[in-house]
Amino acid sequence: MNKLTTPNNIEIIETIYKHSKDSLLREPFFEVVENEVKHLSTLCQLTPLQTVLFANAIILGYDSSKIQSIITHLGFESYKILSYKDEFKVLFEREFLRGERSRGEINPNHYKVSEYVIQKISNNQPFEIKEKEEMGFFDKLKEFNEVIEEVSNDSLPLELLLDKIDLLRSEFNNVSIFQEINISKFSNFDLFFFLKTLWDAIEAGDNDYNTNVHETTKTFYKSTNDQYRNIRFILNGNSKLIAYNYVALSKHNFRNIVYAGLSDAVEKLVHKYEGVQLGKMEDPNEELIQHKKLAQKELFYNPEEAVEVFKLQEIVMEKSFQKLQKNFEKKGLKPAVSVLFYGDPGTGKTETAYQIAKATGRNIMKVDISSTRSMWYGESQKLMKKIFTDYEAIRKEEKKCPILLFNEADAIIGKRREAGSSSLSETENAIQNILLEELENFHGILFATTNLQENLDAAFERRFLFKIQLKKPESLAASLIWQSKIPSLSEKEAQKLAEVFRFSGGEMDNIARKILMDELLFAQKPEFTKIWSYCESEHWDKNKELQKIGF
């Protein structure tokens, strides 16, 4: 190690990383990096072995973020992770690393390096590692929810969730709120469902029926028969949670999915003992898609699309949008944001609108375009005008300005037909004239999606403030989508599919559904050759020559 007045921690970490490759952690390696390891070990208060593992975790964390990658880099087979489980456990307990774990046991998947540690090391500063504080009530609930998410994503086995429930049952026995409720009479599923409902309310800051009954039950029960039997048990009011008035079900449902919240009695106990004020919002407007009920999805975009989408999302965030509206009005401009998403089918136009709504906390008034094309002449124009009248009334009622979504709007923003050619043409032209007029006076947020951008009527171009094209994913984005939809794919396999098959996200969904059906119905693991054959069959053009499988 070079003799420097102030050793550069990053260079030290790089040196340890480079020399540790394929070293198998043998004695000659430790002799070569003795000074570097000693410095970093003293700084972090770790053993030399823990220091080497941590240094590699920092470098490799920018690439794969997998514990196995560290073991492989050192030259070992993946199973050797078992030999170093205790060392990694210390790194997690001391919060040098954070990631997927349950009761201290490391799940050999993804990890991340503590932001505190990165900041100190990047700034070449020494740091103190504080002893881990005793977890409070809410911290325990949060950790429990993280375990639920891991089990739901099949990252952890259900047995670890059951262990966690048993642990919390004993730990919560002395908590006042649970003493009044008497959780000892709860089955494992009852306690699981109740704690999930409690955390969902606390996390959301309200008791507005945040817990999806179907998804929560399916996380706990892997058998389809058990899932639906217990879902019916809850919905029919036979569960102890319902019978003892601990959990309440929403009177409304979204897409036939029922949601649960805490009962008024439990809500009062949470306020009494934990000082948290939860309240139910007024019944949501049934004409709107509620943003809380939208499933959160990770979407992958091509680079130029990502810039546009994230910029739009920032614009319609509440604080930004209110500021824009005020400034627009001051300058005599229309206080509205109107956006056209255009591109091939299956490229994520509608889902992008949904995810922006979810991220910004805005509900959606979705318009079925076919409903505006009445068979009775003159009725369609009235329906179009009513859409905007209804939206304006809802906008004034809602706390946040909702999004008006014209989905698959090709029929009403396409090029106008020649006047007098037919009564249908006259009706469609009349609808477009009303739409143009309403857009001119529109206040709020409007999203529209279309597959036929080349057919867009010129009169609509200036009505849309933003026009964002979503294309089929390029190689990098496509590779990430493949891996997100079929996790068993290696990076190399995902890249191969991305290069050969120019699919939209929707087409990839089709493949993923077929693979899932094979797994669920026939217990078949998704072999790459099978995935490839499904990709080939997805093409309409059977005569199109495809690159042969292989690397």
Side-chain angles (χ1 to χ4, degrees):
M1 181 172 68
N2 295 331
K3 293 184 179 180
L4 301 173
T5 305
T6 304
N8 186 302
N9 295 331
I10 297 300
E11 291 180 359
I12 288 172
I13 290 168
E14 286 178 333
T15 300
I16 294 173
Y17 167 76
K18 290 176 182 177
H19 284 286
S20 66
K21 181 172 176 58
D22 297 326
S23 68
L24 297 175
L25 297 180
R26 289 172 175 156
E27 192 63 32
F29 158 70
F30 282 99
E31 291 175 357
V32 171
V33 294
E34 179 181 1
N35 291 334
E36 285 84 357
V37 171
K38 183 177 180 180
H39 169 82
L40 195 60
S41 177
T42 302
L43 183 73
C44 299
Q45 301 173 42
L46 296 171
T47 67
L49 178 54
Q50 292 163 1
T51 299
V52 171
L53 295 176
F54 175 56
N56 279 281
I58 292 176
I59 302 294
L60 292 169
Y62 290 95
D63 183 22
S64 69
S65 298
K66 292 181 180 179
I67 297 290
Q68 290 99 325
S69 298
I70 300 172
I71 300 299
T72 303
H73 175 78
L74 297 173
F76 295 116
E77 296 291 337
S78 294
Y79 71 87
K80 285 290 287 185
I81 189 175
L82 299 174
S83 301
Y84 301 100
K85 186 175 70 170
D86 290 341
E87 311 301 332
F88 281 112
K89 182 178 179 180
V90 170
L91 294 177
F92 276 86
E93 288 178 344
R94 298 276 297 280
E95 296 191 353
F96 284 94
L97 303 181
R98 291 179 181 169
E100 299 176 353
R101 61 194 179 100
S102 175
R103 298 179 66 178
E105 292 299 319
I106 305 306
N107 172 34
N109 280 317
H110 294 278
Y111 69 88
K112 62 179 181 180
V113 181
S114 164
E115 290 297 326
Y116 172 80
V117 174
I118 289 177
Q119 182 182 11
K120 291 296 183 181
I121 287 181
S122 298
N123 294 331
N124 223 37
Q125 298 173 338
F127 52 87
E128 297 178 4
I129 302 299
K130 299 178 181 179
E131 290 298 322
K132 192 171 182 180
E133 297 179 0
E134 180 67 24
M135 291 180 69
F137 174 67
F138 296 122
D139 292 326
K140 289 178 181 178
L141 282 179
K142 181 180 180 181
E143 187 181 66
F144 178 62
N145 188 68
E146 290 171 353
V147 174
I148 292 175
E149 290 179 358
E150 291 171 358
V151 172
S152 179
N153 295 329
D154 293 326
S155 298
L156 288 178
L158 180 61
E159 288 73 19
L160 288 181
L161 177 60
L162 297 176
D163 287 347
K164 190 69 175 177
I165 292 171
D166 287 338
L167 180 66
L168 289 178
R169 189 189 295 275
S170 62
E171 290 181 347
F172 284 158
N173 270 334
N174 297 322
V175 176
S176 299
I177 183 174
F178 292 111
Q179 286 179 332
E180 285 212 28
I181 292 173
N182 188 14
I183 60 173
S184 61
K185 63 190 174 188
F186 283 10
S187 67
N188 278 344
F189 174 69
D190 287 340
L191 184 55
F192 160 78
F193 195 97
F194 178 75
L195 293 177
K196 179 70 166 67
T197 306
L198 177 58
W199 171 252
D200 286 346
I202 290 171
E203 184 181 40
D206 60 57
N207 190 26
D208 188 28
Y209 302 105
N210 301 292
T211 303
N212 185 316
V213 172
H214 295 69
E215 291 302 322
T216 303
T217 306
K218 288 179 180 179
T219 298
F220 191 87
Y221 291 107
K222 298 307 177 184
S223 160
T224 303
N225 287 336
D226 288 340
Q227 289 171 4
Y228 287 101
R229 184 176 67 252
N230 282 277
I231 289 171
R232 287 196 301 271
F233 200 65
I234 293 174
L235 300 185
N236 292 337
N238 298 323
S239 166
K240 286 182 180 179
L241 297 174
I242 307 297
Y244 292 158
N245 194 30
Y246 295 142
V247 168
L249 301 179
S250 173
K251 297 177 183 177
H252 304 286
N253 62 63
F254 175 70
R255 295 179 179 173
N256 296 319
I257 301 297
V258 179
Y259 289 82
L262 302 174
S263 68
D264 292 340
V266 172
E267 190 181 305
K268 290 176 181 176
L269 289 178
V270 173
H271 181 240
K272 176 182 176 181
Y273 290 114
E274 301 299 332
V276 176
Q277 183 71 56
L278 299 170
K280 290 186 178 70
M281 298 170 63
E282 295 179 2
D283 286 342
N285 193 314
E286 293 185 12
E287 294 183 61
L288 301 180
I289 298 175
Q290 302 296 313
H291 70 274
K292 288 184 179 181
K293 309 306 182 187
L294 292 169
Q296 187 165 352
K297 294 184 179 180
E298 184 178 12
L299 300 180
F300 299 92
Y301 301 96
N302 297 319
E304 65 278 6
E305 299 165 358
V307 172
E308 292 296 313
V309 170
F310 295 140
K311 176 183 175 183
L312 173 61
Q313 180 172 303
E314 194 61 36
I315 287 171
V316 297
M317 293 294 285
E318 184 65 5
K319 190 174 181 180
S320 301
F321 182 66
Q322 287 187 359
K323 184 177 179 180
L324 283 173
Q325 279 193 311
K326 288 177 182 178
N327 282 277
F328 281 163
E329 289 175 334
K330 282 182 182 178
K331 296 180 181 293
L333 300 172
K334 182 174 59 176
V337 172
S338 51
V339 184
L340 178 69
F341 295 106
Y342 68 95
D344 292 334
T347 50
K349 300 182 292 295
T350 303
E351 193 58 53
T352 294
Y354 284 168
Q355 293 307 309
I356 290 177
K358 187 167 186 66
T360 59
R362 299 189 185 280
N363 299 327
I364 298 175
M365 178 178 168
K366 185 179 178 182
V367 179
D368 179 6
I369 298 303
S370 63
S371 67
T372 67
R373 306 181 76 186
S374 171
M375 61 181 291
W376 300 105
Y377 182 82
E379 189 69 18
S380 296
Q381 296 94 304
K382 293 178 184 178
L383 290 173
M384 177 58 70
K385 206 163 189 67
K386 187 176 184 300
I387 288 170
F388 286 91
T389 303
D390 290 347
Y391 175 81
E392 182 61 20
I394 291 171
R395 183 180 71 83
K396 291 178 178 178
E397 292 176 358
E398 290 279 295
K399 290 182 179 179
K400 282 187 179 181
C401 176
I403 295 170
L404 176 58
L405 173 61
F406 282 96
N407 200 41
E408 298 183 359
D410 312 78
I412 57 171
I413 63 174
K415 292 178 181 177
R416 280 174 281 189
R417 304 190 187 193
E418 185 177 346
S421 59
S422 68
S423 60
L424 177 61
S425 297
E426 291 181 3
T427 298
E428 292 185 345
N429 289 346
I431 292 173
Q432 287 187 324
N433 289 334
I434 291 171
L435 178 57
L436 287 167
E437 180 183 337
E438 293 293 341
L439 289 177
E440 197 65 33
N441 302 308
F442 181 72
H443 287 206
I445 302 173
L446 182 142
F447 291 172
T449 69
T450 177
N451 299 328
L452 305 174
Q453 63 272 18
E454 68 279 356
N455 195 43
L456 179 66
D457 193 285
F460 284 98
E461 288 190 18
R462 73 177 180 85
R463 262 70 173 195
F464 289 107
L465 185 61
F466 296 100
K467 293 172 276 290
I468 300 177
Q469 183 177 15
L470 297 180
K471 302 177 181 178
K472 289 186 176 181
E474 295 168 4
S475 181
L476 177 59
S479 177
L480 294 172
I481 295 172
W482 276 119
Q483 284 192 291
S484 71
K485 295 185 183 300
I486 309 177
S488 62
L489 286 172
S490 67
E491 291 182 15
K492 193 173 183 180
E493 290 170 338
Q495 186 62 38
K496 187 69 175 177
L497 294 176
E499 291 172 355
V500 176
F501 301 98
R502 189 72 193 279
F503 283 163
S504 66
E507 290 170 316
M508 293 185 204
D509 272 338
N510 287 343
I511 307 299
R513 280 196 289 268
K514 290 176 183 176
I515 296 300
L516 184 58
M517 283 190 284
D518 285 347
E519 286 189 86
L520 294 177
L521 300 179
F522 308 112
Q524 294 179 354
K525 292 294 182 182
E527 294 183 0
F528 186 60
T529 52
K530 187 67 173 179
I531 296 171
W532 188 278
S533 69
Y534 280 144
C535 289
E536 290 182 319
S537 65
E538 188 69 18
H539 279 277
W540 284 100
D541 185 0
K542 300 295 183 182
N543 296 319
K544 183 176 180 179
E545 286 192 22
L546 294 172
Q547 186 175 341
K548 290 184 178 180
I549 190 170
F551 300 99

